[in-house]
Amino acid sequence: MSNIRITKQFNFETGHALYGYDGKCRNVHGHSYKLSVTVIGRPITDTSHVKLGMVIDFGDLKKIVKEDIVDIFDHATVFNKNTPHVELAKELTDRGHNVILADYQPTSENMVIDFAAKIQSRLPKNISLFSLKLQETDTSFAEWYASDN
């Protein structure tokens, strides 16, 4: 049986600021992110299995990504916890805003690395994360490939 890649796409809105950056992104701003999650595995061949012919049920993949990424990052603001933005984060949190203090500078590159680790930890043993594509704007994105890591 062949290995097959399947992809599920997700959309979410997230704000961030890049502390110490020398461009406009040092200011708090947001993006309409598009995340493409591709996994690889062999389709189920057991004729008695309810998911016969599937690598993974798209609904099962959706549940993983929604719980660990979309539901957490959607309409949140992400700051690097090791920057002075923590003062702003505290004020926003005190006012009822959803703020994430990350262990990293919240660039698309670092976010996609974080997302890969989160998804890999939840996938069934027979399924592997093949790649992620995190699109920040219509023309800018970061990609993560298992083969590169």
Side-chain angles (χ1 to χ4, degrees):
M1 177 62 71
S2 300
N3 276 322
I4 302 295
R5 298 177 204 156
I6 64 164
T7 301
K8 181 102 177 114
Q9 297 178 318
F10 303 87
N11 299 301
F12 55 96
E13 310 290 328
T14 302
H16 69 157
L18 303 180
Y19 179 72
Y21 181 65
D22 62 354
K24 290 181 181 180
C25 292
R26 69 179 174 267
N27 298 307
V28 177
H29 64 288
H31 297 284
S32 296
Y33 287 98
K34 295 176 186 174
L35 177 64
S36 297
V37 178
T38 301
V39 298
I40 189 168
R42 296 180 187 274
I44 296 168
T45 57
D46 178 355
T47 56
S48 66
H49 198 289
V50 296
K51 297 184 182 188
L52 174 66
M54 296 180 182
V55 171
I56 185 174
D57 188 319
F58 282 113
D60 294 341
L61 184 56
K62 178 181 177 179
K63 181 178 188 315
I64 291 168
V65 177
K66 274 189 58 48
E67 288 177 359
D68 284 8
I69 297 165
V70 175
D71 291 347
I72 294 168
F73 283 81
D74 190 37
H75 286 83
T77 303
V78 186
F79 296 116
N80 181 331
K81 75 175 187 179
N82 297 314
T83 70
H85 283 127
V86 294
E87 294 171 14
L88 176 58
K90 182 181 179 340
E91 182 175 337
L92 288 170
T93 301
D94 289 347
R95 293 175 183 234
H97 292 266
N98 183 9
V99 176
I100 297 169
L101 292 174
D103 291 330
Y104 52 82
Q105 180 84 307
T107 61
S108 290
E109 296 90 335
N110 284 331
M111 289 171 68
V112 81
I113 291 167
D114 179 33
F115 296 171
K118 291 176 189 309
I119 294 167
Q120 285 177 310
S121 72
R122 296 270 316 268
L123 288 174
K125 299 279 186 257
N126 61 323
I127 310 292
S128 297
L129 182 60
F130 181 82
S131 67
L132 294 178
K133 178 179 179 180
L134 182 61
Q135 193 163 346
E136 186 175 279
T137 69
D138 286 340
T139 60
S140 303
F141 56 88
E143 292 181 295
W144 177 97
Y145 283 88
S147 60
D148 296 338
N149 295 281

